[in-house]
Amino acid sequence: MPEGPELHLASQFVNKMCAGVVFSGPVIKSEVSKSPDVSFNCDAYRITAASRGKEVKLTLTPMKTDEPKQKVRTGQADEPMDIVFRFGMSGFFRFTGEDELPKHAHLRFYTQEKPCRVLSYVDARRFGSWQPNGTWQAGRGPCIMFEYKSFRENVLSHLSDRAFDKPICEVLLNQKYFNGIGNYLRAEILFRLNIPPFVSARTALEGLESEDLCENMKPPKNETTDIRSSGTGKKKKVKEETGDLLRLCHTVPLEVVSLGGKGYDPEKSDYSAFQAWLQCYYVDGMKSARDHNGRTMWFKGDPGPMAPKDSKSPKPKKRVKKEDDHDYTDKKKVAKVRSESTTKIKQERVTKTPKKEKKDAGRRERKPTREKTQRVNTPQKEAKSDMQRRKSTSTEPTAGVAASAPQRRSLRLSR
């Protein structure tokens, strides 16, 4: 997620690319974005940017003509407009040609030149937002980088609030007091000071003075050797700084700004300098656990007494880029319809097959009954045939006896 340094680098990018460039025409919003329309249309205007914590403000300033009597056309802006952006999870700015327009460009500013170029606000996940005629959000505290004195006073004057009863790692994400601190910054700050992440925020901040006497001095550093379990076996020097927590909330983000580039940008492959700068966040050998809000906290050593019970360290997910990710066309709809139709056909086949099996089973059951009847009937037929044979044989001897009666008489007499 872009944090304070990334939004400041985005404002520097806009000021660098748009310096001396004249923009023209209306501001175009994509059809899929739910953010409000920007009703700004001008024949010639310039764009400048500024950052404050986790917000970026673009200022659209119409260019004044040399002829004072010339009237402004209807529908043309004659006053500057401020648009406040919050980047969400994946927002950033790009400046490209019209033919190279990014896929997820949800707000576009076109230049006056031909061929024209486009300044685009790109947000693939669409968690970011913008507000036309907006101001800095009232619920956010002073900027940790560029309003250090007021930021420090705001924190130390509210230590009695209930918000500071929570662990220090969770309070560092509270934008009411730490405007610009995010997940990787809190891990790096607490690691350098060797503060357990799950200790009370009030105990970690008590004793600090409202004025930093060492503001213009570099904080002292103690270098210690530590062997990381990265498999290489090489010794790497880890810098542990001795200083107060609020000062590092100011200096550590400025280190990221001094690195240049886009800061934390894991979607690209050109953030090796930032990766080498990290000492704790996603570094081998460090521990991780989820806080009470479900955010992953990276640390070393003891987590602290306020650590959540049964908190399991999440496994790092591998990012797999998909070609059809966030496809706004009708391809997905057609695919869904096809998949639903195929599932319906499969279900119908599944429901029909048992009927066939029942019919086959009925036929199988009927066949044995016929065989039984045949087996039962065949002995009866045989019995009938035997009876007929017996009758025929019984009738034949009677005829023979009648014919041979004198012979029998002669035998009796001889006996």
Side-chain angles (χ1 to χ4, degrees):
M1 179 177 181
E3 303 180 15
E6 285 73 33
L7 273 81
H8 180 66
L9 290 171
S11 66
Q12 287 185 337
F13 171 79
V14 172
N15 290 332
K16 180 181 178 181
M17 302 304 295
C18 299
V21 179
V22 179
F23 292 83
S24 178
V27 180
I28 306 299
K29 189 193 79 168
S30 65
E31 296 178 355
V32 296
S33 178
K34 295 181 181 180
S35 295
D37 295 330
V38 179
S39 58
F40 184 87
N41 190 355
C42 186
D43 291 337
Y45 65 96
R46 297 187 185 276
I47 297 178
T48 56
S51 69
R52 183 179 183 267
K54 285 192 176 183
E55 294 177 307
V56 173
K57 181 170 63 177
L58 293 189
T59 302
L60 314 182
T61 306
M63 298 178 62
K64 296 181 180 180
T65 58
D66 296 334
E67 299 178 2
K69 294 182 180 181
Q70 186 176 359
K71 294 183 180 180
V72 180
R73 291 187 300 170
T74 57
Q76 295 290 311
D78 57 347
E79 296 293 333
M81 174 184 282
D82 292 333
I83 308 174
V84 178
F85 288 83
R86 299 173 189 94
F87 281 7
M89 292 292 292
S90 58
F92 62 93
F93 288 108
R94 286 194 65 184
F95 193 61
T96 60
E98 189 177 8
D99 297 335
E100 301 173 351
L101 198 66
K103 183 178 180 181
H104 304 287
H106 295 300
L107 198 66
R108 301 184 290 273
F109 307 86
Y110 290 84
T111 62
Q112 197 180 42
E113 58 194 356
K114 291 184 180 180
C116 66
R117 292 178 291 174
V118 186
L119 175 68
S120 305
Y121 170 70
V122 185
D123 188 4
R125 299 184 182 182
R126 289 189 286 169
F127 289 158
S129 62
W130 61 80
Q131 186 64 43
N133 295 316
T135 57
W136 303 122
Q137 196 170 7
R140 294 180 181 269
C143 181
I144 54 172
M145 294 184 292
F146 305 110
E147 298 172 347
Y148 176 53
K149 290 183 179 180
S150 57
F151 151 70
R152 189 180 182 92
E153 292 175 359
N154 183 42
V155 173
L156 296 178
S157 61
H158 291 87
L159 285 181
S160 60
D161 291 355
R162 292 183 179 180
F164 293 92
D165 295 338
K166 297 180 180 180
I168 184 61
C169 65
E170 298 177 8
V171 176
L172 286 175
L173 297 182
N174 191 342
Q175 301 301 300
K176 182 179 179 180
Y177 301 105
F178 297 89
N179 186 12
I181 298 293
N183 207 22
Y184 81 83
L185 282 177
R186 68 170 179 173
E188 297 298 320
I189 292 168
L190 295 177
F191 172 77
R192 294 189 185 191
L193 295 175
N194 198 19
I195 297 177
F198 294 99
V199 297
S200 174
R202 188 176 290 104
T203 58
L205 295 169
E206 281 179 345
L208 299 179
E209 298 179 357
S210 59
E211 293 184 3
D212 188 3
L213 301 176
C214 302
E215 181 179 356
N216 297 325
M217 297 174 59
K218 293 182 179 179
K221 299 176 183 179
N222 296 328
E223 292 185 357
T224 58
T225 57
D226 183 22
I227 300 175
R228 304 284 177 87
S229 59
S230 59
T232 57
K234 295 181 181 180
K235 293 183 178 181
K236 184 177 179 180
K237 291 183 179 180
V238 179
K239 297 179 182 180
E240 293 182 358
E241 302 186 14
T242 58
D244 62 26
L245 180 59
L246 298 178
R247 187 188 308 153
L248 263 70
C249 290
H250 168 66
T251 58
V252 173
L254 291 176
E255 291 181 10
V256 181
V257 174
S258 64
L259 293 175
K262 292 177 65 176
Y264 179 52
D265 188 15
E267 299 296 332
K268 303 293 180 180
S269 59
D270 58 349
Y271 74 116
S272 57
F274 175 81
Q275 231 173 355
W277 173 83
L278 291 173
Q279 299 180 20
C280 178
Y281 186 73
Y282 267 97
V283 175
D284 294 336
M286 297 294 117
K287 299 178 182 179
S288 64
R290 294 191 185 276
D291 59 15
H292 295 88
N293 298 321
R295 300 289 301 274
T296 304
M297 178 66 205
W298 292 84
F299 60 96
K300 180 183 179 182
D302 185 20
M306 301 179 71
K309 295 180 181 180
D310 301 331
S311 178
K312 297 181 180 180
S313 59
K315 296 181 180 179
K317 297 180 181 179
K318 295 182 179 179
R319 293 184 174 89
V320 180
K321 293 184 178 180
K322 298 180 180 180
E323 294 180 357
D324 295 335
D325 189 17
H326 301 287
D327 190 2
Y328 302 130
T329 59
D330 294 334
K331 292 181 182 179
K332 289 188 177 181
K333 295 181 181 179
V334 175
K336 286 183 180 179
V337 173
R338 289 179 180 174
S339 62
E340 290 177 356
S341 61
T342 52
T343 51
K344 287 181 180 179
I345 292 169
K346 288 181 180 179
Q347 289 177 357
E348 289 177 357
R349 289 178 180 175
V350 171
T351 53
K352 288 180 180 179
T353 47
K355 293 182 180 179
K356 292 182 179 179
E357 291 178 356
K358 289 181 181 178
K359 291 180 180 179
D360 295 336
R363 290 175 182 175
R364 290 174 185 174
E365 290 177 357
R366 291 174 183 174
K367 286 181 180 179
T369 54
R370 291 177 182 176
E371 291 177 357
K372 288 181 181 178
T373 53
Q374 288 178 359
R375 288 177 184 176
V376 173
N377 293 332
T378 49
Q380 292 178 357
K381 291 180 180 180
E382 291 177 356
K384 289 180 180 180
S385 61
D386 292 336
M387 292 291 290
Q388 290 176 356
R389 288 176 185 175
R390 287 176 185 177
K391 289 179 180 179
S392 62
T393 53
S394 61
T395 53
E396 288 177 357
T398 54
V401 169
S404 59
Q407 293 178 359
R408 288 180 180 177
R409 290 177 182 175
S410 60
L411 288 172
R412 290 178 181 173
L413 293 169
S414 63
R415 286 177 183 175

